[in-house]
Amino acid sequence: MRVNNVMLYTITRVVAFIILSFSIYLFFAGHHNPGGGFIGGLMTAAALLLLYLSFDLKTIKQIIPFNYTWMIAIGLLLSLGTGVTSMLLGYPFLTQFFDYFDLPFLGETELATAVLFDMGIYLTVVGITLLSILTIGEDR
Amino acid sequence: MNNLVIVPILLPFIIGVVLIFFSKHRTVQHVISAVAVTMLLAVSIYLAYVVYHEGIQTLELGNWPAPFGIVLVADLFAAMMVILCAIVGFVCLFFAFKTIHPDREKFYFYPFYFFLLTGVNGAFLTGDLFNLFVFFEVMLIASYILIVFGGTKYQLRESFKYVAINIFSSILFIVGIAYLYGVTGTLNMAHIAERVAEADQQGILNVIAIVLLLVFAIKGALFPLYFWLPRSYFGPPAAIAALFGGLLTKVGIYAIIRTFTLIFTHDPAFTHNIILALAGATMFFGVLGAVSQFDFKRILSYHIISQVGYMVMGLGIYTPLALAGAIYYIAHHIIVKAALFLFAGATQKVTGTTDLHKMGGLLKTHPWLGWLFLVAALSLAGIPPLSGFFSKFALILAGLEEGRWFIVFVSLVVGLLTLFSMMKIFMYAFWREQKHSEEQARTRVSGLLWPIAPLIVLTIGLGLGAEPIFRFSLEVAEQILDPTVYIRAVLGQ
């Protein structure tokens, strides 16, 4: 018997979008408010997982063809890269830099290399969470 | 500030990450990892050279001053351990090229190999207690994966016990750190050492010392807590077993020596006597296990336990000579133990078994294998021209000077039993009539012996060059016995 989950599909489309945007908000809030790469990454993984749960694995794999193993590696390289860059500039490993820039629309904004480090954590967390869940899920 | 200190940690980490991308390309993986491990060896020797000539090197990560940020410290002891780690990593990697099955290589063997080296090097170089915990976890998680690699039934069963006991000890480690933070209010080891000397809280500090001793005793396989080791080291392939046998328990021993010479020096009559009692029991029961076994790899695993006892005995006696002996012993033991596990792998390749009852006559068909093994075995047992003798000699001499007759007696008996069980391996596997078939007798092992040869050369070299090396270990011992040097290098006053 084939069940047509219209309710689930419709709600997932809206809710996944809300969760994704909230996770990105959390990721950028990390410097001054509670949030950051870890919780942001977990929440993004939760949004993607919701998609995997309501639609089937094959469909989502066609739409978002990420290689999660590579995502982990890229995240680690990004985090290490911020540390190595400060080493190449003659500072100790992992020295962070920040400065204020006048951006269009946003006005004066503080940009810090700590965000890049956090970005690496974000990618690693998303990659690891989905990789472990999908590895168990695909197992038959 | 010197960024060189972090390179031995960073290099294997980055290489491990890069290797993830090439998990399906066997040759690319081999080339990258061989180049990386050679570079690691060169960097760690250079680091030791710098430390020897310019004193203790520190690196304040992120440019934050010492007690507030994380600090990495390379003193002589740490630099020496990093070199030994690089040597074992180098040798086992080339052995792994020859022995690890290509199917296993595809599933991220080399990334985890390098993550393990990252964790070990990090644990040696860190100057922060919580960072030590994190690097322990990096090392342990990589080791969980390497120990279950291949997923045979035996490995699955034993690695479960290994994981369970290590998670338990990690929780205990966190609890110990929390207690210590509650008492001293800091996590930087040099700063803790300073505060412990000021704080007049002997009772609670003794409790914390014992909690941390318990943690490191589980990791380093001391007397009542060694039961997990022989069975879990039996499962994985020889290259991994050699890496574990050479390095993992020694990280626990390094942590014990570091904490009990730097932080918990307030009441040696209590703490160091407990350590000495544990050392005696560890030696004796470990070697009893080795004598009772009839399996190549299991005998070696039990010997790890009994020899960890010797190292801790040096700490328990707590004089410069004894500590120098312990340090010499660590260097000797890491080299010889890795070599012996690799020999177990080579003989297994020929005979297809590690059971001594089913072996025999290897000396006739594979003479090089036999004689090189004999050198390593005699070195382990402590026969004069080889490195094992001088380290035991220093320990026993220090024990006699301090009037610790009983522990000296135990260590001599243990030395005898070690010789007995190594000779048992030699007699059963290499003498007697040939038990392996003619086809097995034609198996070539020269490719496997080349990676082991440097270790044999090193153990002979450590023995023949005992005087300069012993003078170096005395220097190391005096440096770690005087915590003010370390504290001044880190906090800079």
Side-chain angles (χ1 to χ4, degrees):
Chain A
M1 191 184 77
R2 204 181 125 86
V3 186
N4 197 359
N5 284 319
V6 184
M7 291 285 262
L8 183 66
Y9 292 159
T10 322
I11 292 175
T12 302
R13 272 174 204 157
V14 182
V15 169
F17 180 70
I18 296 173
I19 300 178
L20 267 180
S21 33
F22 188 58
S23 73
I24 291 165
Y25 165 75
L26 271 181
F27 170 72
F28 282 111
H31 202 60
H32 295 292
N33 294 303
F38 187 76
I39 188 69
L42 274 184
M43 216 159 199
T44 306
L48 292 176
L49 193 65
L50 183 65
L51 291 176
Y52 278 111
L53 277 177
S54 18
F55 306 95
D56 60 320
L57 286 179
K58 235 191 241 160
T59 326
I60 303 298
K61 250 195 191 148
Q62 275 170 359
I63 299 166
I64 27 177
F66 291 149
N67 182 341
Y68 292 112
T69 322
W70 285 35
M71 199 188 228
I72 297 171
I74 290 167
L76 286 172
L77 277 185
L78 194 61
S79 290
L80 283 171
T82 60
V84 174
T85 317
S86 52
M87 244 168 95
L88 296 179
L89 293 174
Y91 293 94
F93 182 73
L94 273 184
T95 308
Q96 303 291 334
F97 307 98
F98 64 95
D99 206 350
Y100 295 92
F101 293 97
D102 222 4
L103 297 179
F105 303 114
L106 294 172
E108 190 177 298
T109 317
E110 183 189 354
L111 294 183
T113 54
V115 175
L116 287 177
F117 186 85
D118 239 17
M119 193 74 210
I121 295 173
Y122 176 87
L123 287 176
T124 311
V125 170
V126 173
I128 276 190
T129 318
L130 286 174
L131 184 66
S132 42
I133 291 172
L134 293 183
T135 313
I136 298 168
E138 281 165 353
D139 195 35
R140 275 168 211 282
Chain B
M1 185 212 86
N2 189 347
N3 269 321
L4 179 64
V5 180
I6 201 171
V7 178
I9 306 174
L10 211 53
L11 184 72
F13 194 3
I14 293 176
I15 295 300
V17 174
V18 169
L19 284 173
I20 292 177
F21 293 111
F22 300 106
S23 64
K24 300 287 176 275
H25 308 280
R26 190 154 175 260
T27 5
V28 181
Q29 276 188 317
H30 282 195
V31 171
I32 293 180
S33 47
V35 170
V37 87
T38 317
M39 273 163 66
L40 182 66
L41 190 60
V43 164
S44 27
I45 289 172
Y46 180 62
L47 175 68
Y49 174 82
V50 170
V51 169
Y52 190 72
H53 284 277
E54 293 168 26
I56 299 178
Q57 300 291 310
T58 62
L59 172 65
E60 286 159 352
L61 291 186
N63 226 354
W64 297 101
F68 309 112
I70 294 168
V71 61
L72 297 181
V73 188
D75 62 352
L76 281 175
F77 189 29
M80 186 193 90
M81 297 302 282
V82 169
I83 291 185
L84 289 169
C85 168
I87 291 173
V88 174
F90 182 85
V91 171
C92 292
L93 187 75
F94 283 96
F95 198 84
F97 288 162
K98 294 255 162 41
T99 51
I100 300 288
H101 195 273
D103 283 350
R104 291 189 181 187
E105 283 180 328
K106 270 187 201 155
F107 288 95
Y108 307 102
F109 173 74
Y110 295 108
F112 284 112
Y113 189 92
F114 279 96
F115 290 150
L116 186 85
L117 294 184
T118 311
V120 172
N121 274 342
F124 290 149
L125 287 172
T126 184
D128 182 289
L129 209 54
F130 195 78
N131 224 258
L132 181 67
F133 168 76
V134 173
F135 278 121
F136 259 104
E137 286 304 297
V138 171
M139 173 187 95
L140 286 172
I141 289 171
S143 77
Y144 298 156
I145 293 160
L146 289 179
I147 216 166
V148 77
F149 218 78
T152 62
K153 202 171 172 186
Y154 184 89
Q155 276 177 306
L156 288 174
R157 189 176 67 229
E158 296 309 324
S159 63
F160 175 74
K161 294 173 194 165
Y162 178 77
V163 171
I165 185 90
N166 274 305
I167 285 178
F168 172 72
S169 79
S170 296
I171 295 169
L172 219 56
F173 196 178
I174 280 288
V175 171
I177 291 175
Y179 285 156
L180 200 55
Y181 188 70
V183 173
T184 60
T186 177
L187 285 172
N188 182 301
M189 291 211 264
H191 205 207
I192 292 176
E194 217 178 27
R195 293 255 171 106
V196 162
E198 288 165 5
D200 197 22
Q201 294 279 350
Q202 226 175 56
I204 196 156
L205 283 173
N206 279 346
V207 171
I208 299 168
I210 296 306
V211 170
L212 286 183
L213 179 64
L214 197 65
V215 172
F216 298 140
I218 295 177
K219 314 264 191 208
L222 288 188
F223 159 55
L225 306 161
Y226 61 69
F227 49 87
W228 55 271
L229 188 141
R231 295 175 72 87
S232 55
Y233 280 19
F234 180 74
I240 300 173
L243 190 71
F244 283 14
L247 290 178
L248 290 198
T249 47
K250 261 54 72 184
V251 181
I253 300 308
Y254 172 85
I256 292 181
I257 292 182
R258 180 63 81 203
T259 44
F260 282 85
T261 53
L262 181 65
I263 300 174
F264 302 115
T265 51
H266 56 281
D267 189 10
F270 176 71
T271 48
H272 289 67
N273 276 338
I274 287 185
I275 291 176
L276 199 59
L278 281 183
T282 311
M283 277 191 255
F284 189 65
F285 288 103
V287 88
L288 278 193
V291 168
S292 71
Q293 293 294 324
F294 251 95
D295 186 286
F296 205 139
K297 266 181 166 174
R298 276 183 216 266
I299 291 178
L300 295 180
S301 309
Y302 274 106
H303 273 153
I304 297 178
I305 298 165
S306 79
Q307 298 189 335
V308 154
Y310 278 104
M311 304 166 198
V312 180
M313 166 186 164
L315 177 66
I317 296 171
Y318 203 49
T319 60
L321 182 63
L323 262 173
I327 287 159
Y328 195 138
Y329 204 99
I330 292 177
H332 144 77
H333 172 86
I334 290 179
I335 289 167
V336 171
K337 186 51 78 179
L340 284 172
F341 267 105
L342 295 180
F343 279 123
T347 42
Q348 194 178 6
K349 175 130 185 178
V350 177
T351 59
T353 175
T354 55
D355 190 346
L356 289 180
H357 287 304
K358 293 177 189 155
M359 292 188 206
L362 272 172
L363 201 57
K364 205 174 279 170
T365 54
H366 298 87
W368 276 100
L369 180 68
W371 294 119
L372 286 178
F373 170 80
L374 186 67
V375 172
L378 291 180
S379 178
L380 188 80
I383 301 297
L386 299 161
S387 60
F389 171 73
F390 296 98
S391 42
K392 277 184 193 161
F393 180 69
L395 283 173
I396 287 166
L397 197 65
L400 291 178
E401 272 179 7
E402 290 294 297
R404 311 273 191 173
W405 309 109
F406 188 67
I407 194 90
V408 169
F409 174 70
V410 171
S411 65
L412 287 171
V413 171
V414 170
L416 199 65
L417 290 175
T418 311
L419 184 64
F420 168 72
S421 52
M422 291 321 285
M423 283 306 105
K424 186 168 75 183
I425 297 182
F426 189 69
M427 281 162 61
Y428 274 85
F430 294 95
W431 285 359
R432 302 196 311 166
E433 76 276 22
Q434 186 175 332
K435 290 229 175 123
H436 49 283
S437 64
E438 282 305 313
E439 194 185 336
Q440 283 172 322
R442 281 194 295 275
T443 318
R444 298 283 299 254
V445 288
S446 56
L448 298 180
L449 288 180
W450 275 114
I452 316 178
L455 294 176
I456 301 300
V457 172
L458 267 175
T459 180
I460 295 172
L462 273 182
L464 294 182
E467 187 169 341
I469 290 161
F470 199 77
R471 216 178 293 133
F472 174 76
S473 18
L474 261 177
E475 243 173 89
V476 177
E478 271 157 20
Q479 196 181 55
I480 56 177
L481 271 178
D482 184 11
T484 49
V485 181
Y486 185 95
I487 294 170
R488 213 180 310 122
V490 174
L491 298 178
Q493 278 142 12

